[in-house]
Amino acid sequence: MINALHPALIFIAGALLIPLLKGKAKSAYMLLLPALSFMNLLQIPAGQHWVIGFLDYNLTLCRIDRLSMVFGYIFHIISFISILYALNVKDDGQHVAAVLYSGAALGVVYAGDLFTLFIFWEIMAVTATYLIWARRTRASSSAGMRYLLVHLFGGLCLLIGILLQLHNTGSLEFSHIGLNGLASALIFIGFGINCAWPGFHSWLTDAYPEATITGTIFLSAFTTKCAVYALARGYAGTDLLIWIGAAMAAFPIFYAVIENDLRRVLSYSLINQVGFMVVGIGIGTELGINGAVAHAFADILFKGLLFMAMGAVMHQTGKINCTDLGGLYKSMPFTALFCIIGAASISAFPLFSAFATKSMVMDATAKDHLTGVWFILLFASAGVFHHAGIKIPFFAFFSHDSGIRTKEAPLNMLLAMGIAAFLCIFIGSFPGYLYSILPYPVDYQPYTAPHVMAQLQLLFFSALAFTLLMLSGIYPAEIRAINVDADWTYRKGAKAFMWMLTNPMTKLGAWISRTVFELIPSSLGWASKNPVAVIKIAADSLLLKFAVPEKRDEIKMRIQREKEIYPGDIIRHWPIGSVVLLAILFFLAYLLVNYMTGAKH
Amino acid sequence: MKDNYSNKHEELMELGHDPVPGYRPVFYVIMTIASLYLALILIKTL
């Protein structure tokens, strides 16, 4: 028996009390939640806890090991920072949803079985949707609905996969699964949708920029990282992930460069960074997994910091597009400084966090002789410096003077950004502390002369490329527009589908309806008045086609007369001799059938 | 938290980047040299 609560419980139960408090007590209470939860977490020893019976199965609500603990630590840290950042939000619904969302994320990383994971997974989807809807704009409403639909589909894949897995193995335990059949493939896809794999990614770039300012900070930290955790737990060493991750790292760069909305640029950048983690998991070596987990830890901080900086700009100016911003460094110097620290961290400058984490994945790739993937990641490293390292601070705080004059961000926002910035530098300068909590023992030294020199060369040449592109006028213009990628399927494809439904398909439907429900029944009704006359008219009409010219007039007159008197007297067309003949024929047919069936027996 | 939309200023439909005379040839020359250099390194490495 342990004297502690489940790691997610303090967040989930605590969230429900938030609306009951007011003012500073509420702020203190909300800040206390992650602190208390963290202290509670430290009381739980390694192993499986809270194993309960459910139907004929055992559910393990909490499994503590080194992999889950890294994610647990960083989730607590980012929860504290995000709550601090959001203290001036007056909407209790947002606070409750955000804290529940954080608690659900903890529930996912500590779940020891697939069913518990699924429950927390779905709580995350619902609470995240609220954080998008809470902005209460038309765009956020639509984006939130699309987010919910995509995640419900992902959840459905996950649930079916779990049920099949249970059927196949008889166990709900969440450990290494590997790709080995339909069940594992469905679970893989369920995780992949939350991980924003290429083709499944557009929910992220669609919804995150439309969420509330503070909601985006929470969103950027949890959903994709829980998926990274789940993949690291269930699919480490799956080769397919190497190529999926490489594609994730590379393709968003092109969209991020042309994107006007700076929070959408960061969303693309988020996919790019998760790509590095997925590659590390796909490699599956101790260095690869350590690199993926360490980079997830660092990414949560620097991506959160960048989203916080852009959120502060949005909060103070109401603008987030490159076309509207620029020259804010004088108005918001601290925010600009924190943004630059986040940019340096994501770009992997020496002494900043990603330098010590991203390079582990690169090194794991090189050690596995994955030359092609290594080059893709190198390109992605240059690209991320281009769009997140330079573009974000440059277009928000420097570039052209937009004429906007505003105040610095509120103190709580600055404090939150300051803590995140400090941690980014701390991890980059003293990576040993982070390495000591990684799942496997670390035998890696980031600060070697070749690594530092190679990274500086990459960064400075990328900076040179950006400068020359700008000065030569080749850098693409930022345009107030929506850049469509995989969301083509529902932005354009769905539109085309709806057009097809409302135009040709509607006409086809109307024709079928008219033919089946009007024309055929009315014709049958007309013909049923005197079927013999109808047959006779039809026979005469057929005869007319083949008749010799001198007989045609006679046949035509006969048809006309038959139509005029139709339906006429049915008896007149049905002589008694014919009826007798028909009855005899039916009788003979009956005898024949009866004889044949009797003969068989 | 409410978005503050009180800043009134001209909103651009497009933020273009006008070329500074003389830099386009510099860009092409450097890109050519860099590409050749990288290609040489790659060929020697692989």
Side-chain angles (χ1 to χ4, degrees):
Chain A
M1 192 68 187
I2 53 171
N3 294 319
L5 300 170
H6 185 277
L9 188 65
I10 292 179
F11 274 94
I12 291 176
L16 306 176
L17 298 177
I18 291 172
L20 305 178
L21 298 168
K22 300 277 179 208
K24 288 182 179 172
K26 178 190 283 186
S27 300
Y29 172 74
M30 288 200 301
L31 286 173
L32 208 58
L33 284 176
L36 279 175
S37 179
F38 187 73
M39 284 190 281
N40 174 67
L41 180 66
L42 296 179
Q43 304 303 314
I44 309 174
Q48 298 192 340
H49 310 287
W50 294 286
V51 180
I52 58 166
F54 177 71
L55 301 177
D56 290 335
Y57 305 98
N58 282 332
L59 301 184
T60 308
L61 301 188
C62 180
R63 182 233 334 256
I64 303 278
D65 62 9
R66 290 183 70 84
L67 179 61
S68 57
M69 281 305 276
V70 188
F71 283 89
Y73 291 146
I74 188 60
F75 281 3
H76 277 91
I77 293 169
I78 198 64
S79 297
F80 179 83
I81 292 171
S82 305
I83 289 170
L84 177 61
Y85 184 84
L87 281 184
N88 53 337
V89 173
K90 302 297 176 204
D91 179 3
D92 279 346
Q94 278 193 60
H95 289 309
V96 173
V99 175
L100 278 175
Y101 178 54
S102 309
L106 285 168
V108 166
V109 297
Y110 288 110
D113 66 89
L114 289 164
F115 187 72
T116 305
L117 176 129
F118 173 76
I119 297 294
F120 285 116
W121 198 266
E122 292 307 298
I123 295 174
M124 282 181 72
V126 173
T127 48
T129 305
Y130 185 86
L131 290 174
I132 300 161
W133 278 338
R135 193 160 167 212
R136 297 184 176 88
T137 61
R138 193 176 170 188
S140 68
S141 170
S142 307
M145 180 53 75
R146 290 191 290 268
Y147 179 95
L148 187 62
L149 290 174
V150 169
H151 283 267
L152 288 180
F153 172 73
L156 195 63
C157 289
L158 187 59
L159 180 62
I160 296 170
I162 291 169
L163 293 175
L164 287 174
Q165 181 79 355
L166 177 64
H167 179 261
N168 294 341
T169 65
S171 168
L172 279 168
E173 188 192 352
F174 180 35
S175 55
H176 183 77
I177 301 170
L179 265 181
N180 50 24
L182 180 62
S184 61
L186 285 169
I187 296 172
F188 193 59
I189 291 170
F191 292 162
I193 288 173
N194 273 30
C195 201
W197 285 352
F200 295 128
H201 70 278
S202 49
W203 60 266
L204 196 157
T205 52
D206 180 24
Y208 284 14
E210 301 300 341
T212 62
I213 289 170
T214 53
T216 309
I217 319 301
F218 286 94
L219 292 169
S220 72
F222 295 122
T223 298
T224 49
K225 304 312 175 301
C226 279
V228 165
Y229 161 80
L231 287 172
R233 172 77 67 190
Y235 294 91
T238 303
D239 288 344
L240 183 59
L241 285 175
I242 298 173
W243 294 102
I244 291 173
M248 287 176 76
F251 92 88
I253 290 166
F254 301 98
Y255 288 101
V257 166
I258 59 170
E259 182 56 54
N260 190 26
D261 182 329
L262 289 173
R263 291 207 301 174
R264 191 158 278 124
V265 172
L266 287 176
S267 301
Y268 279 113
S269 173
L270 179 53
I271 299 171
N272 158 275
Q273 293 300 301
V274 172
F276 282 85
M277 300 165 211
V278 172
V279 169
I281 295 165
I283 292 168
T285 57
E286 290 192 355
L287 183 60
I289 299 291
N290 275 341
V293 174
H295 197 49
F297 194 101
D299 179 76
I300 287 172
L301 289 167
F302 60 66
K303 193 53 59 59
L305 176 55
L306 286 166
F307 269 117
M308 282 191 272
M310 289 304 100
V313 166
M314 201 172 160
H315 180 256
Q316 294 304 107
T317 68
K319 314 287 179 193
I320 198 59
N321 290 334
C322 295
T323 43
D324 301 333
L325 295 171
L328 283 175
Y329 74 97
K330 284 183 181 169
S331 302
M332 305 177 73
F334 290 110
T335 306
L337 175 67
F338 295 139
C339 183
I340 290 168
I341 291 172
S345 299
I346 195 172
S347 307
F349 266 89
L351 302 179
F352 292 87
S353 56
F355 180 79
T357 58
K358 194 192 291 180
S359 53
M360 295 173 87
V361 177
M362 296 286 286
D363 215 40
T365 315
K367 281 188 173 156
D368 240 35
H369 306 293
L370 297 162
T371 313
V373 177
W374 187 85
F375 273 112
I376 293 171
L377 295 188
L378 194 69
F379 165 74
S381 297
V384 76
F385 177 50
H386 213 216
H387 70 254
I390 299 176
K391 182 172 178 171
I392 294 288
F394 181 73
F395 285 108
F397 299 104
F398 305 100
S399 187
H400 77 295
D401 187 358
S402 61
I404 297 174
R405 299 293 177 264
T406 184
K407 288 180 182 174
E408 183 53 277
L411 183 62
N412 63 302
M413 286 186 166
L414 289 176
L415 278 173
M417 286 189 276
I419 294 169
F422 167 77
L423 289 172
C424 286
I425 297 172
F426 183 80
I427 291 168
S429 304
F430 307 101
Y433 291 101
L434 174 59
Y435 291 171
S436 68
I437 59 168
L438 293 178
Y440 299 104
V442 177
D443 178 23
Y444 177 75
Q445 176 52 256
Y447 286 101
T448 60
H451 181 211
V452 173
M453 289 305 296
Q455 186 63 16
L456 286 176
Q457 281 177 20
L458 180 82
L459 294 171
F460 285 129
F461 275 106
S462 298
L464 177 68
F466 178 82
T467 309
L468 285 175
L469 282 167
M470 289 292 284
L471 291 172
S472 58
I474 296 173
Y475 195 87
E478 278 66 34
I479 300 169
R480 199 183 292 275
I482 295 169
N483 299 313
V484 178
D485 58 270
D487 52 353
W488 184 94
T489 47
Y490 52 79
R491 285 188 191 274
K492 296 283 184 186
K495 211 172 177 178
F497 181 69
M498 288 308 291
W499 178 87
M500 200 177 76
L501 285 184
T502 52
N503 289 287
M505 294 306 282
T506 305
K507 285 177 184 166
L508 179 68
W511 180 83
I512 291 171
S513 173
R514 199 172 57 249
T515 307
V516 173
F517 298 111
E518 292 174 24
L519 204 61
I520 293 176
S522 65
S523 301
L524 287 174
W526 180 79
S528 67
K529 289 177 183 169
N530 192 343
V532 177
V534 170
I535 292 168
K536 199 162 174 11
I537 292 168
D540 284 340
S541 301
L542 194 66
L543 197 62
L544 183 64
K545 300 258 183 206
F546 303 102
V548 289
E550 53 269 26
K551 285 277 184 186
R552 279 174 177 256
D553 288 341
E554 186 189 333
I555 297 170
K556 274 183 188 173
M557 284 182 68
R558 193 163 69 224
I559 293 171
Q560 194 181 349
R561 194 172 60 250
E562 283 167 349
K563 284 183 177 174
E564 279 170 5
I565 61 166
Y566 185 84
D569 183 6
I570 193 163
I571 302 302
R572 198 166 61 85
H573 296 279
W574 202 240
I576 191 71
S578 304
V579 175
V580 171
L581 182 65
L582 201 61
I584 290 168
L585 286 175
F586 269 119
F587 185 62
L588 283 174
Y590 171 76
L591 285 177
L592 192 64
V593 170
N594 198 36
Y595 171 74
M596 287 174 75
T597 51
K600 275 182 186 174
H601 295 294
Chain B
M1 196 174 299
K2 193 180 171 188
D3 297 351
N4 172 12
Y5 291 100
S6 60
N7 275 289
K8 301 288 180 201
H9 70 290
E10 190 186 352
E11 292 183 348
L12 302 173
M13 286 306 292
E14 183 177 330
L15 180 61
H17 310 294
D18 296 330
V20 176
Y23 273 97
R24 192 159 289 196
V26 172
F27 174 78
Y28 287 128
V29 168
I30 290 180
M31 279 302 292
T32 308
I33 294 170
S35 304
L36 288 172
Y37 177 62
L38 283 174
L40 187 70
I41 291 172
L42 277 177
I43 291 165
K44 288 176 81 173
T45 310
L46 296 174

